[in-house]
Amino acid sequence: MEQKGKIGVTTDNIFPIIKKFLYSDHEIFLRELVSNAVDATQKLKTYSSLGEFKGELGDITVRVSIDKEKGTLTISDKGIGMNAEEIEKYINQIAFSSANEFLDKYKNDANSIIGHFGLGFYSSFMVSQKVEIVTKSFREDSQAVKWSCDGSPEYTLENVEKAERGTDIILYIDDENKNFLEEGEISRLLKKYCHFLPIPVAFGKKTEWKDGKSVETEEDNIINDTNPIWTRKPADLKDEDYKKFYQDLYPMSDEPMFWIHLNVDYPFKLTGILYFPQIKSNVDLNKNKIQLYSNQVFVTDSVEGIVPEFLTLMHGVIDSPDIPLNVSRSYLQSDQNVKKISNHITKKVADRLEEIFKNDRTQFEAKWDSLKVFIEYGMLTDEKFYDRAQKFCLLKNTDGKAFTFEEYKTLISADQTDKEGNLIYLYASNKDEQYTYINNATEKGYDVILFDGQLDVHMAGLLEQKFEKSRFVRVDSDTVDNLIVKEDAVEVNLTDKQKEELSETFTSQLPKIEKTEFTIDYKALGEKAQPIQITQNEFMRRMREMSAMQTGMSFYGEMPNNYNLVLNTEHPLIKKVMADIEGKEKDAVTAYAAESKTVRQLIDLALLSNGMLKGEALNNFIKRSTDMI
């Protein structure tokens, strides 16, 4: 018996649509065909358990094979198979009579075709000039049939001999896709898409080294782990199991800090394991390390919209059949199940972090430098997560001690409240470069937070919004007496002429630094305070730092760095300079400044304490210091 006919889509554009709109993702044909074979096998196992299949299951391995001479790639299973009627229903009619409506609806959406209305099988035509199906149903006395199609709407269907139940999909690879006849390429795709399928998948035989060469053995090369740890009960797993799985996913990586085992049955099904990776530096942030699966079939590692933005920094696996395959990102974001899953994952992460903090705070604090970026990112982008995380988010000071928000508020309330009743949180962004400023603050009895992470400047802004009557001020943004103003400042008793003379003296000797400007300021800080200090306005500096990470703020990034050169008018050395230049004309003041080692030394000391003295200027400073000694 040979039957000819047309596939049950009245339009003739089914194959052009598949090839045109899915070409960029053409490698997923292998995922579709192998997962179809696995589904057919699992259905047979179900029928067997229900008593609807009386035979022996036997070897149910799905096999993938290449024949380079024939130019074919074959996917074979021993599942339920099909008879002629089922071929007509599931292949020729593309599963439903509404296929035309489907094609019309999705013809412009490249991500929505595969996985709907049986079209997964038709992805094979993206890489094939002809496709054959040789299949035999598991039901008794079934006649094996062979279906063949060359990519046109016409097909042939004939009776054939086939000894065993199941289905062989034979792809005659076209000239543009010969790479799919290479073992290395198929191995890569099987590992990517089929690594955790629940039915064994074999590709070739294992090899061993014998007599100086690699030889093939009789043992099947099984490419997948049919029982990955996320499908097992947490009670049955040890820490070593989680660590081993992490190394399998991310070879050569350091051990993860913590992990969360997800296992939800209602109101949606969700399993998986999420890991907190160790982050060695503030810029060591790798996204797209979470793999999304649907019933152990790999879907994507771009999980934005499925997990909250801040959790894309985590690593691991999420598996949920409630997330549909191959839908567009906008559809994912509007899907109610996806929103519920995203919210649940956020809650589970917060629960786990709070549990670790409460049960083992010492361990939590030891790993804070790596954990901080996850927690801060979440607090900045997710209001609900902020509400949870404020209980265990830490502030670490320059002595390495860690405090919760409430603990730190209690610590500094007495000494760091200004005359307006604002609580001032002092912070440093670089412990070494800002050492002098930190030291001045701590000598005055203040405590200084270390904010050296790339998100810390954003956190300062967020916490100023959240904390009542509070400000965050970097220790080098003003002189130590003005960081926390507790009383009116001492008035500077200088005439406009004296200010003009001092400004000319020091401005004329300031080095030219690219995109850097200085403004002279005068303050009466007492005889024992530094004669000159360099400070930077908190608002402008913070805006510049934020602009480096945030689009739409590039304006601030283009502006020059503006520093204040603060002259302590009560210091003896400044008074001496004032006496030397008093009454002189501008040219004479400039000449004096150029010859004065004291002026140059004072400026260079201020630059040095601020990490701004480099190159030739630093070399000249060292020589001058030696001469003065």
Side-chain angles (χ1 to χ4, degrees), residues 571-585:
H571 194 279
L573 288 175
I574 299 299
K575 287 183 176 180
K576 180 180 183 303
V577 171
M578 289 172 60
D580 290 344
I581 61 175
E582 187 173 6
K584 292 183 178 180
E585 296 298 322

Side-chain angles (χ1 to χ4, degrees), residues 1-251:
M1 180 275 293
E2 180 175 289
Q3 173 187 335
K4 294 186 178 181
K6 281 194 174 185
I7 295 167
V9 179
T10 56
T11 178
D12 287 351
N13 67 355
I14 173 68
F15 299 111
I17 286 176
I18 289 173
K19 289 196 173 189
K20 178 179 178 182
F21 291 104
L22 290 175
Y23 185 77
S24 62
D25 283 334
H26 61 318
E27 69 178 31
I28 64 170
F29 82 92
L30 191 61
R31 178 191 73 184
E32 293 299 313
L33 297 181
V34 175
S35 59
N36 283 349
V38 168
D39 287 344
T41 308
Q42 286 185 303
K43 285 177 182 176
L44 185 69
K45 290 178 67 178
T46 301
Y47 289 146
S48 179
S49 67
L50 296 173
E52 295 180 27
F53 172 59
K54 304 296 184 181
E56 294 291 329
L57 286 177
D59 180 10
I60 56 172
T61 303
V62 172
R63 300 182 185 278
V64 180
S65 59
I66 292 171
D67 188 327
K68 283 193 175 183
E69 288 187 10
K70 293 182 180 179
T72 60
L73 174 65
T74 301
I75 296 91
S76 301
D77 68 69
K78 293 181 181 178
I80 58 174
M82 291 180 285
N83 56 30
E85 286 183 8
E86 289 164 332
I87 285 277
E88 180 66 23
K89 180 178 179 181
Y90 296 116
I91 302 299
N92 293 341
Q93 294 301 322
I94 314 185
F96 296 93
S97 59
S98 59
N100 283 320
E101 296 176 19
F102 168 79
L103 286 174
D104 183 61
K105 181 178 180 180
Y106 289 108
K107 63 185 179 182
N108 294 318
D109 189 344
N111 290 319
S112 296
I113 294 180
I114 297 299
H116 290 273
F117 300 98
L119 279 169
F121 162 72
Y122 279 94
S123 64
S124 58
F125 285 95
M126 291 191 293
V127 299
S128 308
Q129 57 188 341
K130 183 172 74 169
V131 178
E132 294 176 347
I133 304 174
V134 179
T135 183
K136 183 179 181 181
S137 173
F138 73 99
R139 294 180 176 86
E140 290 185 17
D141 303 323
S142 291
Q143 171 63 53
V145 293
K146 176 182 177 181
W147 178 93
S148 181
C149 180
D150 63 2
S152 67
E154 284 79 21
Y155 69 89
T156 63
L157 184 65
E158 59 184 311
N159 292 340
V160 293
E161 292 297 320
K162 186 177 185 338
E164 298 180 293
R165 67 171 192 269
T167 301
D168 301 330
I169 308 290
I170 305 159
L171 281 59
Y172 291 80
I173 304 298
D174 62 32
D175 291 338
E176 296 177 1
N177 293 283
K178 293 299 184 185
N179 57 308
F180 294 118
L181 294 175
E182 299 297 328
E183 289 187 10
E185 179 69 356
I186 298 303
S187 290
R188 181 185 73 82
L189 295 180
L190 289 172
K191 184 173 183 181
K192 177 178 179 179
Y193 291 112
C194 309
H195 193 47
F196 297 109
L197 286 174
I199 299 295
V201 178
F203 181 52
K205 300 292 184 180
K206 286 189 176 180
T207 60
E208 63 180 15
W209 195 255
K210 192 173 182 180
D211 298 330
K213 60 181 179 179
S214 180
V215 295
E216 202 172 78
T217 68
E218 293 298 316
E219 185 180 355
D220 284 333
N221 177 37
I222 303 298
I223 58 90
N224 57 319
D225 176 1
T226 60
N227 190 28
I229 68 169
W230 79 77
T231 65
R232 291 147 63 185
K233 295 179 180 178
D236 297 335
L237 297 166
K238 299 178 180 178
D239 286 357
E240 290 72 22
D241 297 316
Y242 290 105
K243 292 175 183 178
K244 182 181 182 301
F245 183 64
Y246 185 79
Q247 288 300 321
D248 290 342
L249 290 176
Y250 314 106

Side-chain angles (χ1 to χ4, degrees), residues 357 361 394 402-412:
F357 174 73
R361 178 164 174 172
L394 299 178
F403 306 86
T404 63
F405 290 167
E406 283 300 316
E407 290 168 349
Y408 198 73
K409 181 180 179 181
T410 301
L411 176 73
I412 66 171

Side-chain angles (χ1 to χ4, degrees), residues 160 283 302 487:
V160 293
V283 294
S302 297
E487 56 189 32

Side-chain angles (χ1 to χ4, degrees), residues 578-613:
M578 289 172 60
D580 290 344
I581 61 175
E582 187 173 6
K584 292 183 178 180
E585 296 298 322
K586 181 177 180 179
D587 290 346
V589 168
T590 304
Y592 164 83
E595 295 295 325
S596 173
K597 289 186 177 180
T598 300
V599 170
R600 285 297 313 151
Q601 199 74 354
L602 287 173
I603 291 172
D604 285 352
L605 283 168
L607 290 169
L608 185 67
S609 67
N610 211 47
M612 299 171 70
L613 193 64

